[in-house]
């Protein structure tokens, strides 16, 4: 039944599918005596019997809707109803499973726990492969919208539209020169100004620290799982704490390297992302947090735990791995399973310290001219080429920073 109808035969009652309700709360056992005490792993049970009568429809390509459940505690719980034409929402669901496991491993590390290193995870309810409900992350704003507002306030009239910038690049003979001499001067980094809106210096420092540490965690995790399509609307910032939150995980497992214009960086580390971390930039807090996160992920016992989470792809391969290669169903299944094994193998290589494993992207003469990287920077890149040797955590991080 819709809109809270109370007619006979139209009533319903559902568990509000929040992440915290779907995650078992098991306390730490410090003695054998504590293991004998019964615990309630799901102490909170929120139900809903109706939704708000109106829906908010977003203007993006897939036209997702914002649906709000009314809980039996009197609060509103919004969710995003999303249908992907070409995507697979199981990626989002499994990425959150992976993120939950990463949080548990970080919580076991004293240094990570002291720095409050953790991912903001949300529940994804799969109705079918291309359709589902995504828990709304409250008190967040897209990085793009924050930066747009700052530009309009600080540099009114200087900002160019996306179409104008695209036209400039389309008529450019050297993208690197166009980017550095035409686009960047008109769009200098301003994200650090957002943190300066805090009137209390201690709040400003806390938000900036949390931002740098959460960005470091997402950079390392994003590289490990081959996360792409990290534009400003897929990266959110918590308006109260400054913590970075990522959404939309369709471009996963190196898919961005196979696009018409390949994504040639391991993670997003643009001028705004660096400026927001203060005068030290990628040094100091960011580098130390990256090395700490990568150290936890690459720990021998943790590595096997994370890979076991990914083995679900062998039992249930993604849509893009099956159904498009062979007409024979048996061949489809075999192809999907092989793709899953290759993907898990690439993740394992990264966890062993190797760099840029995955699809090999060969930039032809025309593609070389279409890169915003300088010739020297392109020469340092090893996109898609497996060095065949594992680096230390610090060495691997240093190479990734250069590439980004």
């Amino acid at each position: 039944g819709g809109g809270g109808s109370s007619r006979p035969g139209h009533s319903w009652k559902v568990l509000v599918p929040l992440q915290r309700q779907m995650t078992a709360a098991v306390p730490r056992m410090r003695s054998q005596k504590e293991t004998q005490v019964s615990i309630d792993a799901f102490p909170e049970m929120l139900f809903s019997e109706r939704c708000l009568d109106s829906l908010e429809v977003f203007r993006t390509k897939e036209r997702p809707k914002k649906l709000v459940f009314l809980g039996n505690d009197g609060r509103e719980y919004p969710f995003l109803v999303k249908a992907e034409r070409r995507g697979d929402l199981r990626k989002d669901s499994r990425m959150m499973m992976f993120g939950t496991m990463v949080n548990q491993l970080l919580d076991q590390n004293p240094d990570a726990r002291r720095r409050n290193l953790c991912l903001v995870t949300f529940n994804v309810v799969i109705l079918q492969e291309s359709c589902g409900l995504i828990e709304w992350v409250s008190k967040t704003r897209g990085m793009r919208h924050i930066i747009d507002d700052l530009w309009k306030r600080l540099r009114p009239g200087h900002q160019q539209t996306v179409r104008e910038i695209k036209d400039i690049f389309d008529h450019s003979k050297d993208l690197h020169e166009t980017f550095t001499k035409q686009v960047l001067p008109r769009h200098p980094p301003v994200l650090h100004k957002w943190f300066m809106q805090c009137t209390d210096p201690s709040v400003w420092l806390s938000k900036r620290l949390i931002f740098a540490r959460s960005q470091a965690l997402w950079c390392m995790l994003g590289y490990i799982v081959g996360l792409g399509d990290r534009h400003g609307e897929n990266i959110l910032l918590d308006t109260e704490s400054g913590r970075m939150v990522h959404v939309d995980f369709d471009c996963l497992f190196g898919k961005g390297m196979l696009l018409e214009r390949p994504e040639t960086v391991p993670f997003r580390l643009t001028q705004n992302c660096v400026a927001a971390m203060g005068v030290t930039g990628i040094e100091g807090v960011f580098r130390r947090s990256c090395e700490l996160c990568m150290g936890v992920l690459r720990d021998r016992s943790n590595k096997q735990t994370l890979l076991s989470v990914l083995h679900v792809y062998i039992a249930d391969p993604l849509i893009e791995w099956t159904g498009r290669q062979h007409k024979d169903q048996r061949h489809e299944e075999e192809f999907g399973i092989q793709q899953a094994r290759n993907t898990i193998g690439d993740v394992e290589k990264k966890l062993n310290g190797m760099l840029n494993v995955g699809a090999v992207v060969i930039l032809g003469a025309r593609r070389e001219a279409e890169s915003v990287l300088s010739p020297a920077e392109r020469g340092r890149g090893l996109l898609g080429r497996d060095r065949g040797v594992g680096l230390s955590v610090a060495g691997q991080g240093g190479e990734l920073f250069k590439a980004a």
Side-chain angles (χ1 to χ4, degrees):
S5 173
S6 58
R7 290 177 294 172
H10 285 264
S11 61
W12 50 269
K13 183 178 181 181
V14 296
L15 182 74
V16 182
L18 301 171
Q19 177 77 10
R20 66 173 187 264
Q21 294 210 117
M22 302 297 172
T23 307
V26 181
R28 293 190 178 192
M29 305 296 181
R30 295 180 176 82
S31 65
Q32 188 174 2
K33 186 177 180 180
E34 290 184 4
T35 62
Q36 299 171 358
V37 179
S38 62
I39 60 170
D40 184 2
F42 299 94
E44 186 180 19
M45 299 292 281
L46 279 172
F47 291 91
S48 174
E49 296 183 3
R50 62 183 293 259
C51 301
L52 291 186
D53 294 329
S54 59
L55 283 172
E56 184 179 350
V57 182
F58 295 94
R59 295 181 180 179
T60 52
K61 184 173 64 176
E62 303 294 347
R63 312 286 288 179
K65 286 85 177 170
K66 185 178 181 181
L67 175 69
V68 180
F69 288 100
L70 293 177
N72 55 5
D73 60 350
R75 296 182 179 180
E76 296 182 355
Y77 296 95
F79 283 79
L80 190 71
V81 184
K82 192 174 182 182
E84 293 271 13
R85 294 178 190 174
R86 299 180 181 178
D88 190 339
L89 278 179
R90 290 179 298 173
K91 286 183 185 176
D92 296 68
S93 176
R94 291 169 185 175
M95 185 63 195
M96 288 298 96
M97 288 169 52
F98 196 76
T100 301
M101 181 60 67
V102 169
N103 280 343
Q104 293 176 9
L105 299 179
L106 289 170
D107 189 55
Q108 294 171 11
N109 183 281
D111 291 330
R113 191 166 61 248
R114 188 170 65 250
R115 288 171 171 82
N116 194 21
L117 282 171
C118 65
L119 301 167
V120 175
T121 57
F122 47 87
N123 194 31
V124 181
V125 182
I126 304 299
L127 303 178
Q128 55 182 355
E129 287 92 343
S130 59
C131 178
L133 290 172
I134 301 175
E135 182 181 349
W136 193 270
V137 184
S138 60
K139 298 177 184 177
T140 57
R141 282 199 74 198
M143 183 184 287
R144 176 188 167 183
H145 302 300
I146 292 173
I147 293 172
D148 281 348
D149 288 349
L150 288 168
W151 269 333
K152 289 172 184 175
R153 181 167 60 86
L154 301 171
R155 297 174 61 85
H158 285 75
Q159 190 181 4
Q160 296 167 295
T161 64
V162 174
R163 181 170 294 180
E164 288 172 342
I165 295 174
K166 185 178 182 299
D167 288 340
I168 292 174
F169 281 133
D170 287 342
H171 294 89
S172 170
K173 294 181 180 179
D174 187 334
L175 289 193
H176 174 68
E177 186 174 335
T178 302
F179 180 68
T180 54
K181 294 185 178 179
Q182 293 186 44
V183 178
L184 268 184
R186 291 191 65 173
H187 301 82
V190 293
L191 188 57
H192 57 288
K193 301 283 186 181
W194 182 68
F195 294 93
M196 293 170 64
Q197 294 174 358
C198 306
T199 55
D200 188 338
S202 62
V203 174
W204 163 79
L205 181 60
S206 173
K207 287 180 73 170
R208 205 183 70 177
L209 278 173
I210 291 174
F211 170 82
R213 288 168 177 167
S214 60
Q215 180 171 233
L217 175 53
W218 270 113
C219 285
M220 295 298 100
L221 184 62
Y223 167 69
I224 292 295
V225 298
L227 180 60
D229 193 30
R230 296 300 88 196
H231 55 76
E233 292 180 357
N234 283 346
I235 301 176
L236 313 179
L237 296 181
D238 189 309
T239 54
E240 291 187 354
S241 69
R243 189 179 298 277
M244 183 178 280
V245 183
H246 281 240
V247 296
D248 193 351
F249 303 104
D250 182 60
C251 195
L252 205 60
F253 304 128
K255 186 179 176 181
M257 296 168 71
L258 303 175
L259 298 175
E260 185 180 350
R261 288 198 174 184
E263 296 186 352
T264 57
V265 290
F267 42 77
R268 184 186 180 96
L269 198 62
T270 56
Q271 288 79 10
N272 272 298
C273 294
V274 175
M277 294 188 287
V279 293
T280 58
I282 66 169
E283 302 302 332
V285 173
F286 180 77
R287 182 182 289 271
R288 178 69 189 108
S289 298
C290 282
E291 292 175 358
L292 177 57
C293 295
M294 187 61 84
V296 172
L297 297 175
R298 285 181 55 178
D299 180 86
R300 182 174 296 178
S301 58
N302 293 349
K303 188 191 310 178
Q304 294 306 316
T305 303
L306 293 172
L307 290 173
S308 68
V309 177
L310 295 179
H311 272 82
V312 68
Y313 289 104
I314 294 178
D316 188 15
L318 297 172
I319 294 174
E320 64 198 56
W321 294 345
T322 60
R324 298 178 185 176
Q325 303 292 329
H326 304 282
K327 293 181 180 179
D328 186 351
Q329 185 177 357
R330 186 170 61 85
H331 285 153
E332 286 179 12
E333 293 175 357
E334 290 175 358
F335 181 81
I337 292 172
Q338 187 57 47
Q339 286 289 94
R341 285 177 175 152
N342 292 343
T343 297
I344 295 171
D346 287 343
V347 172
E348 187 170 13
K349 285 180 180 180
K350 292 176 183 177
L351 289 172
N352 287 331
M354 296 183 189
L355 287 171
N356 296 321
V357 293
V360 176
V361 179
I362 301 173
L363 296 176
R366 175 167 169 73
R367 278 290 166 82
E368 289 285 347
E370 286 183 353
S371 175
V372 296
L373 300 177
S374 67
E377 289 168 331
R378 290 200 295 271
R380 287 200 299 265
L382 287 166
L383 187 66
R385 296 175 178 85
D386 187 352
R387 283 186 174 180
V389 61
L391 300 177
S392 67
V393 170
Q396 186 181 28
E399 290 293 326
L400 293 176
F401 298 153
K402 291 176 188 176

